[in-house]
Amino acid sequence: HPFLKHWKFDIILFTFPHTGVPNSNPESIGSNKQLIRDFLKSAQQLISPHGEINVTLKTSAPYDKWTFPDFSAYEIKPKSQYDFDSQLFPGYIHRSTRGHMDVNSGKAQTYVFSRENKGKYKDYCEKNGSFCPSSSFTLSIGFFTVDDEDIEIFVMDVLTASDIENCNVLDIRRRFPEAIRPDTRQLNRVLYGLEYSNRLRRGPPKGTSKKPTWEVV
């Protein structure tokens, strides 16, 4: 923006970034990795000399695959990270990118980046053999078992996709990447919970199956 290029900020926040590409889509991970890279490249130009960029991501799958870039080509470096606490932001509500529905933030980490003392930090790393932003690396996110809240988000992504309809529990389960695919019992628990909260509607079985189909209310 022509006005923003003249401003410098002490802190820039990007909380739970998402491109809107459904998590069930194989292109989702790549698109979100690119989103984060493009954001960091842009935001680094807008922070003050001692400013910070804070990116908050969920730590469960598939978000644990959204690795950060090699920072050797950036003007910023990783500074710290801490558990995200939504209570620090009164009135904050986590909503899904698609449909803007209220969702549980679950376990999340805020990753802090800054340009502060990057040159001195690099010299220290070279002398002491420590991690340095000019070194080739991948900053990965810790993996946690997928919980019901994460499955809820994924289910809503699947059922709001335009290329799918008349899905039963098995159809939905097949859409999950194998690494995070829940068992049928857990998935059914989530589906009936979403029906109880009036977010999903149960439909008649299809074909010879006895399993109900599901659609978004």
Side-chain angles (χ1 to χ4, degrees), residues 29-98:
I29 291 176
S31 69
N32 283 291
K33 289 172 70 172
Q34 189 60 51
L35 170 66
I36 292 171
R37 282 155 175 72
D38 291 343
F39 165 73
L40 291 173
K41 285 181 179 179
S42 177
Q44 69 181 1
Q45 303 174 43
L46 298 175
I47 56 173
S48 62
H50 301 287
E52 294 181 351
I53 300 171
N54 291 5
V55 179
T56 300
L57 301 173
K58 299 188 73 171
T59 53
S60 55
Y63 310 98
D64 63 309
K65 303 297 190 298
W66 298 6
T67 52
F68 289 104
D70 176 353
F71 284 91
S72 60
Y74 287 68
E75 300 174 13
I76 54 175
K77 64 175 180 66
K79 181 180 181 181
S80 61
Q81 66 187 68
Y82 57 89
D83 292 338
F84 174 72
D85 183 2
S86 61
Q87 294 183 357
L88 296 176
F89 304 89
Y92 172 81
I93 298 175
H94 186 179
R95 288 193 170 97
S96 61
T97 306
R98 294 169 62 91

Side-chain angles (χ1 to χ4, degrees), residues 152-178:
E152 284 182 8
I153 296 172
F154 199 95
V155 166
M156 298 305 291
D157 279 344
V158 168
L159 293 178
T160 54
S162 60
D163 64 332
I164 189 169
E165 59 182 14
N166 297 325
C167 288
N168 61 30
V169 63
L170 298 181
D171 297 322
I172 297 170
R173 186 172 181 270
R174 293 189 194 100
R175 288 287 182 128
F176 279 78
E178 186 175 357

